[in-house]
Amino acid sequence: MLLKLAVLLFVLVRPGASYFNLFLSQAEVRKLMGLQAELFYVREGVINEYAIKFVVPVPAQVHKLHFTWENLAGRPLPYTMSVDISNPSALSSSLNISQAGEIPLGGLQTWALALHCGPYDAEVDLSLRINVSLSRRNTTSLDFRRKKICLKDKSNIGAEEVHVAASGSSSGGQVFYAAIGCACAFIAAVFVLIVAYYVRDKKTRRHRDPLQESRGLSSACSVERGTGVGPAQTFLSPETPPPASATSTSTYRRLDDRPSRELHERIQEITVQRCRVRLLSIEMEGTFGRVYRGSYHEEGASTPRDVLVKTAAEHASQSQVALLLREGLALYGLSHPALLPVLGVSIEDRSAPFLLYPHTGYKNMKRFLLRCKLSSEGPPRALTTQEVVEMALQAAKGVQYLHRKRLVHRDLAARNCVVDDDLRVQITDNALARDLFPQDYHCLGDNENRPIKWLAIESLLNKTFSTASDVWAFGVLLWELTTLAQQPYVEVDAFEMASYLRDGYRLAQPINCPDELFAVMAYCWAMSADERPTFSQLIVCLQDFHTQLTRYV
């Protein structure tokens, strides 16, 4: 009797390793997500809950979903299937196996769910439910959720054939295109090196001593005695109003229609004497803008404080100067630990205007992440998942504060954040971002440089911005954190981004990125703005995940 009881307990408590596997093959994962990996939903009887909960977008070119399962029980396992579609008039489905049957013995079996789009464009939610009976009292229920993109101008048969052929790992065509791609990459690399050398050489000749002229900032003030005197710069007269067109290009936008205070009124409130600022070294430099490290001697203070100075070069146009001031003062009057405030501004007669920011060891986040890849220049250790989540939480709280103040950032990215050695994050304005990071901005023929690969689909198509578009950009920022500032969609031309996103494609899951963290990113990139989470919800998700991480540390 005891022996029978022991055998019965062993059967009941042993893991489901003797039951079944259910997964997506490498070719299927590559077709849907662009990854070279298999995705297991059930591995030896153990269910991957995070993978099950993730809603996988199905591009317009994909019309069949392939699943592979394997019976490990040593006996046939009964199953039932059902498909639930949110909009049956736009999408129908069919299975190449029966909806009720048994998972057969004898190795792997791959079956397909075919999706048939209707005669009009639509985004349809569907759910595939599978119930597997392991015993009379033990049934495993799985619910796979997909979001299918249907476009009326896509041919089901042709598109599927092309996509499957591209996914094959042994086709001759893939080798041919890979060879062409390598050759193109080599040519492009040579071209980039030549251009970089030319630009660097040109800048070196133009700025043999970039600080010589800037040291004249302190010469006219009795506080900074003994400083060098350099040649004068060209400055914008305070009587010169900003051009009317500059108003529409401001990155920050209030959610209501109340008129904001005039730019010059804000300037007058935080104007500092130019003679109290001394420029020490160039931190970053673009075509018409520069960021200096400097010192600011406040009136009544015994010692100067370290500051960062954003200023326009002497050849910058008035519209560029006006844009620098308008976007640089967008965060004026706000106070939050995750926001970098403007300390002061100067726009004296015949003087280049500049903006002052406190400098307490913070550095540009994008440059910081890029240096993390280099052991000689980066931090003494790589960023852990816990640290990435902590940084993302700080950024999310900063944007949440902006939204509560009825402000939309419209250019949230690693380049517009700063971070210190303790990984404290602050969001900044985007003044000079287009100039300092030109590779992140593209012009699509409308004479306006925009961060195309950070924009939500509605911002890209209609130039509409909201709190939901900031959520989309936050997802890309989170992807930048996990990839150490890789360029998003590097393989996609800027002119193709709209159709690429419309077809349901998104950024792939980074290497070593946990499923929970990638799920947060994916929710940020929902096609419909209403389906994206708010920053309050994102903060809760990230805090919960952070709590899980700290349990194992």
Side-chain angles (χ1 to χ4, degrees), residues 94-115:
S94 60
L95 289 161
N96 66 350
I97 60 174
S98 62
Q99 290 187 320
E102 295 179 340
I103 303 178
L105 297 171
L108 302 176
Q109 181 191 35
T110 299
W111 47 272
L113 172 65
L115 305 175

Side-chain angles (χ1 to χ4, degrees), residues 461-477:
L461 294 175
N462 307 318
K463 297 185 179 180
T464 58
F465 295 86
S466 64
T467 56
S469 62
D470 274 356
V471 170
W472 182 296
F474 177 78
V476 184
L477 169 60

Side-chain angles (χ1 to χ4, degrees), residues 305-434:
R305 63 182 300 181
D306 292 334
V307 293
L308 288 177
V309 184
K310 286 185 181 180
T311 184
E314 63 276 4
H315 57 273
S317 66
Q318 288 191 2
S319 61
Q320 291 167 338
V321 169
L323 192 61
L324 164 70
L325 293 173
R326 188 172 300 278
E327 294 185 337
L329 294 175
L331 296 182
Y332 168 63
L334 302 179
S335 178
H336 189 275
L339 294 180
L340 181 67
V342 177
L343 192 62
V345 62
S346 175
I347 178 171
E348 296 183 5
D349 189 21
R350 300 186 179 278
S351 300
F354 60 77
L355 299 167
L356 291 184
Y357 301 85
H359 180 60
T360 55
Y362 284 84
K363 54 187 75 68
N364 182 270
M365 181 188 286
K366 180 160 187 170
R367 300 181 75 188
F368 167 79
L369 293 173
L370 290 172
R371 279 195 288 265
C372 284
K373 297 179 181 179
L374 307 176
S375 57
S376 60
E377 299 182 14
R381 49 168 172 71
L383 294 179
T384 65
T385 300
Q386 182 175 336
E387 290 170 334
V388 167
V389 174
E390 290 170 354
M391 295 170 71
L393 266 171
Q394 296 176 68
K397 291 176 181 178
V399 184
Q400 181 191 47
Y401 173 81
L402 284 178
H403 290 178
R404 288 176 176 172
K405 294 295 182 179
R406 304 186 66 79
L407 282 169
V408 176
H409 191 287
R410 305 212 309 177
D411 197 1
L412 187 62
R415 61 183 170 272
N416 291 324
C417 297
V418 291
V419 60
D420 67 0
D421 293 334
D422 294 326
L423 301 184
R424 291 177 296 187
V425 175
Q426 289 183 320
I427 298 170
T428 71
D429 56 64
N430 72 316
L432 296 182
R434 298 175 185 84

